[in-house]
Amino acid sequence: MMNRKGLKTVRSGVKGFLPFCLFAFLPFTASAQRVLSLDSCRQMALRNNKQLGISKLKQDVAANTRKAARTKYLPHVSALGAYEYTSREISLLSDVMQGELGQLGTSFAGGLTQGMAPLLAQDPKMAAIMGQLGPMMEQMLNAEGQKIVDAFHTDTRNMFIGSVTLTQPIFMGGSIIAMNKMADIAEEMAGHSMEARRQATLYKIDQAYWQVVSLYHKKKLAEGYLDLVKKLDADVHKMIDEGVATRSDGLTVDVKVNEAEMTLTKVSDGLVLSRMLLCQLCGLPLDEQVALADEQAENIAVVELTPQLDVEAAVENRPELKMLQNSVDISKQTTNVLKAGNLPQVALTGGYAVSNPNVFNGFEKRFAGLWNVGVMIRVPIWNWGDVMYKVRASKGATSIANLELAEAKELIELQVNQTTFKVAEANKKLTMAQANIQRADENLRMANLGFKEGVITPATVMEAQTAWLQAQSQKIDAEIDVKLSQVDLQKALGTLE
């Protein structure tokens, strides 16, 4: 067995080794925890927010839509090719005419023989000559007649057709101009939507950031308060042992210790959940160990000058109002597009068409074509008031959009007034809380001093401790209110950067 001297040596060695281990692992522990400032949290949130990514894609969609609308001013070229097989071909000669032309020589020879029969009967030599020439003429004329029939043969059962067409709009009733303006407004609206989403993201990250800072300071406050009541509990139990305090006093203090431990547990759990929310908004893993730069600050906020009421700046900067104005402008351009339905439309056309067989040299079995240039005019005459009703409906939609814009301006004016007053109120609360801290500290000091002198009961000390806890908690809440009210005002003015 080890003697006492050896045991002391081992214990001293262990005591010397433990500080070495603590200092050795301290850098690794510190490096595992990231320290984030408000600006770094904002940047990470802007990079990782999925809704901002969607807004960026919508902006790209609007830009491509605008580019597509620009092409409506330019000529469009299209090509067409087709093949068609039909069961019957087009015939320019009837079946009777084809038969007559095919027997042209036979008909001619028969008629000639009948007409010259009396003459041939009187002149045997002439009859002999006609007997030799007749069949030859009949055969030759039949062949020529068949050539005519073959020449009119179309062979249109196999048709090949191709064309290239160019169309240049000249006047479309103003619809192309209105559509391009709508595309420009839509792109601008997508940019305002992205700005609104960006400010909403910054607003959320600021709230989550200062919530974590608030709970961190409240946790430290709860730990300090727990130390106070534990010290008081120890002093009261000593006094009970000495017979100068009652068992009831000890139970009362024990209850306060339990309440302080429960409060510390709730604050610690809330701090963990708030850090998880902040990590989620920043795009970090939920279990990421992070510390905030403002957690170690003794004073979170200071009283600042109350900002001047500036409703005009809010109306000019708020992306929500700009989006509503875009809606009004788009509605007006929609009305212009509908009005174009009652106006004439003029377009220039041109192209080249080919076919096989073609009709430019009979029905020739080869590709041949022709150029064409023309002007197309479309004039609406009667549509039973369809366009008129649509224009009225569009104007009604424009009136609705104007009313929504006016209402939004009124609400934003009210919001700016409320947030301005809220900043002033938060500054006043912080000033009062700072003054209460001094009184609570002095009250607690006097209570502890009187308790040591035996002239103050434990209940009075606990009252002083509770008042000190409330004053400290109110100070933390007031400081956070100052920060959040400033963020609210920036968002109301549309200047949250």
Side-chain angles (χ1 to χ4, degrees):
M1 295 180 63
M2 186 179 295
N3 56 22
R4 292 184 177 179
K5 184 177 181 181
L7 184 60
K8 289 182 178 179
T9 304
V10 172
R11 287 178 177 175
S12 62
V14 171
K15 289 181 179 179
F17 180 70
L18 284 175
F20 172 77
C21 292
L22 291 176
F23 283 110
F25 285 102
L26 185 59
F28 297 97
T29 304
S31 62
Q33 192 175 36
R34 298 179 62 176
V35 178
L36 302 177
S37 64
L38 179 58
D39 289 338
S40 60
C41 288
R42 284 180 166 189
Q43 295 302 319
M44 285 191 293
L46 293 177
R47 285 196 304 266
N48 298 298
N49 188 273
K50 293 181 176 59
Q51 290 300 321
L52 275 177
I54 293 174
S55 298
K56 177 60 178 176
L57 292 176
K58 287 182 178 180
Q59 202 171 14
D60 295 338
V61 170
N64 288 316
T65 302
R66 174 186 56 79
K67 293 177 182 178
R70 292 291 189 272
T71 63
K72 301 300 180 182
Y73 289 115
L74 305 176
H76 285 64
V77 180
S78 60
L80 172 68
Y83 165 76
E84 183 178 12
Y85 175 81
T86 57
S87 60
R88 299 179 65 184
E89 66 180 23
I90 298 174
S91 178
L92 300 178
L93 300 175
S94 66
D95 294 339
V96 175
M97 292 182 66
Q98 290 181 17
E100 290 178 353
L101 288 173
Q103 298 296 323
L104 180 62
T106 302
S107 300
F108 179 78
L112 183 62
T113 301
Q114 290 179 2
M116 296 181 65
L119 181 61
L120 295 177
Q122 296 175 4
D123 189 351
K125 291 183 179 180
M126 180 63 70
I129 294 173
M130 288 301 297
Q132 294 178 357
L133 292 177
M136 295 177 59
M137 292 177 60
E138 180 181 353
Q139 185 179 4
M140 182 179 65
L141 290 175
N142 285 340
E144 292 299 325
Q146 188 60 45
K147 286 182 180 180
I148 295 173
V149 172
D150 294 339
F152 279 93
H153 177 63
T154 60
D155 191 17
T156 53
R157 286 178 299 176
N158 294 282
M159 293 289 296
F160 298 88
I161 302 172
S163 67
V164 177
T165 305
L166 180 144
T167 304
Q168 172 63 60
I170 297 177
F171 178 72
M172 294 287 115
S175 60
I176 295 180
I177 297 174
M179 290 173 62
N180 273 273
K181 289 182 179 179
M182 289 173 64
D184 293 340
I185 296 170
E187 184 179 14
E188 183 180 354
M189 190 174 185
H192 295 154
S193 176
M194 185 173 180
E195 175 62 19
R197 178 64 61 181
R198 187 190 69 84
Q199 291 197 15
T201 302
L202 294 178
Y203 183 73
K204 287 183 179 180
I205 201 70
D206 280 20
Q207 285 188 319
Y209 181 91
W210 293 116
Q211 178 71 13
V212 173
V213 173
S214 173
L215 290 174
Y216 178 84
H217 281 269
K218 286 191 175 182
K219 180 184 177 183
K220 290 178 61 178
L221 177 61
E223 292 171 348
Y225 178 70
L226 180 60
D227 292 339
L228 285 177
V229 293
K230 281 185 176 180
K231 184 178 183 302
L232 178 62
D233 184 60
D235 292 340
V236 169
H237 280 83
K238 289 180 181 178
M239 294 173 64
I240 293 174
D241 294 338
E242 294 176 358
V244 295
T246 65
R247 181 66 178 169
S248 177
D249 293 334
L251 292 174
T252 303
V253 178
D254 289 340
V255 170
K256 284 293 182 180
V257 172
N258 291 334
E259 291 178 354
E261 290 176 345
M262 290 178 62
T263 301
L264 178 60
T265 301
K266 290 180 180 179
V267 173
S268 299
D269 293 343
L271 179 59
V272 172
L273 293 176
S274 297
R275 287 190 193 277
M276 292 175 66
L277 175 61
L278 182 63
C279 289
Q280 189 271 330
L281 293 175
C282 292
L284 298 174
L286 297 183
D287 57 351
E288 179 84 12
Q289 297 297 319
V290 297
L292 304 185
D294 291 285
E295 287 179 346
Q296 303 301 327
E298 183 176 354
N299 294 316
I300 302 174
V302 296
V303 176
E304 297 184 0
L305 295 177
T306 303
Q308 297 296 322
L309 186 64
D310 194 354
V311 179
E312 294 181 358
V315 173
E316 183 180 353
N317 296 327
R318 285 291 289 269
E320 295 89 347
L321 287 180
K322 293 179 181 179
M323 292 171 62
L324 289 174
Q325 182 63 54
N326 292 147
S327 298
V328 172
D329 296 337
I330 287 179
S331 182
K332 291 179 180 179
Q333 296 303 323
T334 301
T335 303
N336 293 333
V337 172
L338 293 173
K339 286 181 179 179
N342 275 338
L343 298 176
Q345 299 178 354
V346 182
L348 177 66
T349 62
Y352 184 76
V354 296
S355 65
N356 182 4
N358 67 81
V359 295
F360 304 110
N361 188 20
F363 279 85
E364 190 178 15
K365 290 289 292 182
R366 60 185 295 269
F367 282 99
L370 74 166
W371 294 97
N372 62 85
V373 177
V375 177
M376 180 180 67
I377 301 177
R378 175 184 174 274
V379 181
I381 297 176
W382 184 252
N383 54 24
W384 300 99
D386 173 65
V387 175
M388 179 184 65
Y389 296 136
K390 290 180 179 178
V391 169
R392 289 180 181 177
S394 181
K395 288 182 178 180
T398 303
S399 300
I400 293 173
N402 277 315
L403 290 174
E404 290 176 346
L405 177 60
E407 184 182 20
K409 287 182 179 179
E410 293 175 357
L411 293 176
I412 285 178
E413 181 178 359
L414 177 62
Q415 185 183 26
V416 171
N417 279 276
Q418 288 176 339
T419 51
T420 303
F421 291 141
K422 187 177 179 181
V423 171
E425 183 180 0
N427 287 334
K428 291 179 181 178
K429 286 183 178 180
L430 180 56
T431 303
M432 295 170 61
Q434 290 171 345
N436 288 337
I437 286 291
Q438 298 177 358
R439 289 192 287 267
D441 288 341
E442 180 63 19
N443 183 35
L444 180 60
R445 188 186 69 82
M446 295 298 294
N448 290 328
L449 183 61
F451 180 72
K452 290 180 180 179
E453 298 294 333
V455 296
I456 291 180
T457 63
T460 305
V461 177
M462 287 188 293
E463 290 177 359
Q465 291 175 345
T466 302
W468 176 83
L469 175 65
Q470 291 177 349
Q472 294 288 343
S473 181
Q474 289 174 357
K475 175 178 176 291
I476 295 172
D477 291 338
E479 290 175 332
I480 297 300
D481 282 344
V482 168
K483 288 294 184 181
L484 293 182
S485 64
Q486 292 171 358
V487 174
D488 289 339
L489 181 59
Q490 291 176 359
K491 187 175 185 299
L493 294 174
T495 58
L496 189 58
E497 297 293 341

